């Protein structure tokens, strides 16, 4: 049990962090902080342009800055980007600031969801499946060491996955007493 007031979603591209975040934030009375959207709003350009102009290193630096700022707050649902766990300092911050849920999905489901995606620079390669497998091999140990709970949404609609995760959270997430109780569905 992690008595935290923030709820954090981690996991790979296509796991549904943003869509589950949008559904779960009001359910638990939390303010949604989608780190990728915050970076884009601040830069005034989309993520592919940031990668193009500043490289992945530039993007990671911006990601670290936004994550540090958000982790200082409370009562938030923090939806991270798939690579936010690469940085050890980010992992430590996420662990300390919230109850961390790893949305675990298989490569097939990722491929189905991201098949035509053009917004993720790391997927603009000929061999998407191979890239996703390589990213999973590198990152799954990091998701595992960062999370308080592993949740496998499976190939269901976001609304069903959100309802199932909400039930898990009611069982496992001991909220910080300063935050309001969950709003019944
Ligand atoms: C990335 C995932 C993306 C975004 C960026 C890099 C990654 O977010 O942060 O394209 O390294 O896996 P999503 O996980 O929301 O797609």
């Amino acid at each position: 049990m992690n008595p935290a007031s923030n709820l954090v979603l981690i996991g790979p591209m296509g796991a549904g962090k943003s869509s589950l975040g949008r559904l779960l934030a009001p359910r638990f009375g939390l303010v949604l902080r989608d780190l990728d959207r915050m970076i884009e709003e601040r830069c005034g350009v989309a993520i592919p342009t940031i990668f193009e102009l500043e490289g992945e290193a530039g993007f990671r630096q911006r990601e670290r800055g936004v994550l540090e700022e958000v982790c200082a707050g409370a009562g938030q649902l923090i939806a991270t980007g798939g690579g936010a766990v690469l940085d050890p300092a980010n992992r430590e911050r996420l662990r300390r600031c919230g109850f961390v849920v790893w949305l675990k999905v298989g490569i097939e489901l990722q491929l189905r969801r991201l098949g035509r995606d053009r917004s993720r620079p790391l997927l603009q390669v000929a061999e998407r499946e191979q890239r996703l497998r390589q990213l999973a091999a590198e990152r799954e140990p990091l998701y595992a060491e960062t999370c308080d709970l592993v949740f496998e949404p499976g190939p269901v609609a976001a609304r069903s996955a959100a309802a199932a995760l909400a039930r898990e959270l009611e069982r496992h997430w001991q909220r910080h007493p300063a935050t309001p109780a969950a709003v019944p569905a």
Side-chain angles (χ1 to χ4, degrees):
M1 291 272 189
N2 176 359
S5 72
N6 293 307
L7 180 61
V8 181
L9 300 182
I10 62 172
M13 295 179 266
K17 301 180 295 291
S18 298
S19 49
L20 289 186
R22 274 194 297 274
L23 291 166
L24 285 174
R27 169 91 170 70
F28 286 91
L30 301 168
V31 176
L32 178 63
R33 303 270 188 231
D34 188 317
L35 298 187
D36 283 346
R37 299 296 80 76
M38 287 177 72
I39 295 167
E40 291 185 325
E41 277 162 24
R42 285 173 187 201
C43 295
V45 294
I47 287 173
T49 308
I50 303 174
F51 269 72
E52 215 175 292
L53 297 176
E54 302 180 347
E56 181 173 351
F59 172 77
R60 295 294 171 210
Q61 199 178 325
R62 291 179 183 278
E63 184 176 54
R64 199 175 309 124
V66 170
L67 188 144
E68 181 176 1
E69 182 189 318
V70 167
C71 282
Q76 313 163 100
L77 191 154
I78 305 170
T80 60
V85 295
L86 290 169
D87 182 323
N90 286 353
R91 297 200 293 279
E92 180 57 27
R93 280 204 178 92
L94 292 172
R95 263 198 305 265
R96 269 196 279 124
C97 89
F99 184 83
V100 183
V101 180
W102 170 15
L103 296 182
K104 192 173 183 189
V105 290
I107 304 287
E108 290 71 25
L109 186 53
Q110 278 185 280
L111 274 174
R112 219 184 305 155
R113 289 182 175 167
L114 301 169
R116 279 185 288 275
D117 182 84
R118 293 283 165 269
S119 67
R120 288 159 170 102
L122 297 182
L123 283 188
Q124 305 318 306
V125 293
E127 277 300 322
R128 282 193 175 198
E129 178 171 351
Q130 201 182 317
R131 169 58 58 88
L132 287 171
R133 287 194 192 285
Q134 172 208 343
L135 291 174
E138 287 165 15
R139 295 174 176 184
E140 287 200 343
L142 306 178
Y143 296 134
E145 71 161 69
T146 310
C147 74
D148 297 296
L149 176 74
V150 182
F151 178 75
E152 300 193 33
V156 298
R159 215 157 267 288
S160 312
L165 177 52
R167 284 194 295 274
E168 286 292 293
L169 288 168
E170 299 288 1
R171 287 178 46 216
H172 296 285
W173 178 26
Q174 186 195 334
R175 296 188 76 176
H176 191 280
T179 58
V183 181

